[in-house]
C-alpha cells in the first residue's frame, strides 16, 4: 500500500522569504516521489521528482525537494518565495516495488505568498 | 515537453443531458490514460484507468454506467458523463502515461457545471 500526507492545508509566507511545503509518505518498497503545482482552473504541472540518487532534487521555477528516508519525508522548498508561487501544491508517491504505476496524491497544500 | 490537451476547457449543460470530454496526448503515445475528479480545494480523486483498446478499470464507488470511458486510440481517450446532474459538477482532469518514457502528464482540466 502507498499513501502520502500533506499535514498543512495552507502555508503563508512573505515574498522573499524561504518556503517549505511538507510531505510525508508511506510505501512498502522504494518510493518514487513527485511534486506538482496547480494554478486556479488549471491542470497539474510537474515540478520535480525523486527516483534514486542525490537526496536533494532540483526542479522547475527554482523549487527543490529533499528526500529523507529515515523520516519518510519529501519536503518542497524554495530559498526565496515569489507572489507568483501562490498556488496549490500536490505531493505524490508511487511504490516502485508494487508493480503499479498509479501514484497516490496528497490532499494538497495551498501556498500563499504575501507581497 | 509532452503535452496533453483536454476539450472543452469548460462546459455548462442542463440536468439530464450528456457531456463528452476529450483527452489527447499531442506528441506521444499513451497506452494508459487516467481520469481524475477534483472538488474545490481538494485533492485529485482517481476515477478510472483506461488502456487503449480495452475496457476501463473503475475505482470503487465510481459508476461505470454514468461515467463512460473510451480509449479508442493511442492518443485519445474520452469521458462521457451521462444523464448529468448538478452533483456531477466538478473539475475533471485527465492524465496520459507516455508509453515510451513511462512518465505521466496531466491535461489542463475541464470545468463541468450542470444546471
Amino acid at each position: 500500500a502507498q499513501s502520502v500526507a500533506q499535514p498543512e492545508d495552507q502555508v503563508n509566507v512573505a515574498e522573499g522569504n524561504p518556503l517549505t511545503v511538507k510531505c510525508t509518505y508511506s510505501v512498502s518498497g522504494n518510493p518514487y516521489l513527485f511534486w506538482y503545482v496547480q494554478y486556479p482552473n488549471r491542470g497539474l504541472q510537474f515540478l520535480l521528482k525523486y527516483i534514486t540518487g542525490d537526496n536533494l532534487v532540483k526542479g522547475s521555477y527554482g523549487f527543490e525537494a529533499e528526500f529523507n528516508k529515515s523520516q519518510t519525508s519529501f519536503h518542497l522548498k524554495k530559498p526565496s518565495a515569489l507572489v507568483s508561487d501562490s498556488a496549490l501544491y500536490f505531493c505524490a508517491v508511487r511504490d516502485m516495488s508494487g508493480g503499479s504505476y498509479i501514484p497516490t496524491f496528497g490532499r494538497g497544500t495551498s501556498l500563499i505568498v504575501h507581497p | 515537453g509532452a503535452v496533453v490537451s483536454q476539450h472543452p476547457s469548460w462546459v455548462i449543460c442542463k440536468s439530464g443531458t450528456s457531456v463528452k470530454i476529450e483527452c489527447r496526448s499531442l506528441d506521444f503515445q499513451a497506452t494508459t490514460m487516467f481520469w481524475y475528479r477534483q472538488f474545490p480545494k481538494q485533492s485529485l480523486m482517481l476515477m478510472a484507468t483506461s488502456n487503449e483498446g480495452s475496457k476501463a478499470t473503475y475505482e470503487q464507488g465510481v459508476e461505470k454506467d454514468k461515467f463512460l470511458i473510451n480509449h479508442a486510440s493511442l492518443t485519445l481517450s474520452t469521458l462521457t458523463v451521462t444523464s448529468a446532474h448538478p452533483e456531477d459538477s466538478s473539475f475533471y482532469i485527465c492524465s496520459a502515461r507516455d508509453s515510451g518514457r513511462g512518465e505521466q502528464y496531466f491535461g489542463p482540466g475541464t470545468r463541468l457545471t450542470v444546471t
Side-chain angles (χ1 to χ4, degrees):
Chain A
Q2 58 191 34
S3 66
V4 62
Q6 292 181 244
E8 304 154 316
D9 285 339
Q10 185 172 302
V11 170
N12 291 278
V13 65
E15 187 174 31
N17 282 0
L19 69 88
T20 299
V21 182
K22 296 179 181 177
C23 171
T24 58
Y25 66 90
S26 175
V27 294
S28 303
N30 292 319
Y32 191 178
L33 292 153
F34 310 81
W35 275 102
Y36 292 89
V37 60
Q38 184 182 32
Y39 296 98
N41 295 310
R42 294 284 189 269
L44 272 64
Q45 294 180 32
F46 171 80
L47 278 179
L48 51 79
K49 68 181 178 187
Y50 171 84
I51 305 174
T52 186
D54 196 351
N55 289 345
L56 185 63
V57 180
K58 293 189 183 296
S60 307
Y61 312 120
F63 283 93
E64 56 189 31
E66 186 165 12
F67 171 65
N68 187 316
K69 189 173 182 178
S70 62
Q71 297 184 6
T72 61
S73 67
F74 190 56
H75 300 331
L76 182 69
K77 300 181 180 184
K78 187 173 182 181
S80 178
L82 300 172
V83 173
S84 57
D85 291 330
S86 299
L88 194 55
Y89 290 81
F90 290 98
C91 181
V93 68
R94 206 178 92 196
D95 190 339
M96 294 178 72
S97 61
S100 168
Y101 45 75
I102 302 174
T104 297
F105 286 84
R107 63 179 181 176
T109 299
S110 178
L111 172 66
I112 300 174
V113 181
H114 302 276
Chain B
V3 178
V4 176
S5 70
Q6 274 184 249
H7 178 80
S9 54
W10 59 271
V11 57
I12 301 172
C13 71
K14 291 186 177 180
S15 189
T17 62
S18 295
V19 174
K20 180 186 282 189
I21 302 170
E22 292 186 349
C23 176
R24 294 181 185 272
S25 57
L26 298 185
D27 50 3
F28 64 96
Q29 293 187 331
T31 7
T32 305
M33 289 187 173
F34 307 90
W35 286 96
Y36 294 86
R37 183 172 179 177
Q38 186 181 30
F39 292 100
K41 298 185 179 181
Q42 292 190 28
S43 188
L44 281 71
M45 181 192 80
L46 180 65
M47 298 175 66
T49 303
S50 73
N51 291 297
E52 184 264 338
S54 62
K55 289 183 179 180
T57 302
Y58 290 82
E59 296 298 302
Q60 193 172 11
V62 179
E63 300 175 60
K64 56 184 175 184
D65 294 332
K66 180 165 186 63
F67 298 100
L68 300 179
I69 292 172
N70 184 279
H71 191 162
S73 79
L74 288 173
T75 59
L76 173 64
S77 176
T78 60
L79 167 67
T80 301
V81 183
T82 62
S83 187
H85 290 280
E87 56 264 31
D88 298 326
S89 298
S90 193
F91 194 55
Y92 293 88
I93 302 175
C94 78
S95 175
R97 185 171 180 265
D98 185 329
S99 307
R101 288 178 282 186
E103 297 290 345
Q104 187 175 353
Y105 302 97
F106 288 83
T110 296
R111 172 74 59 194
L112 169 63
T113 302
V114 184
T115 61

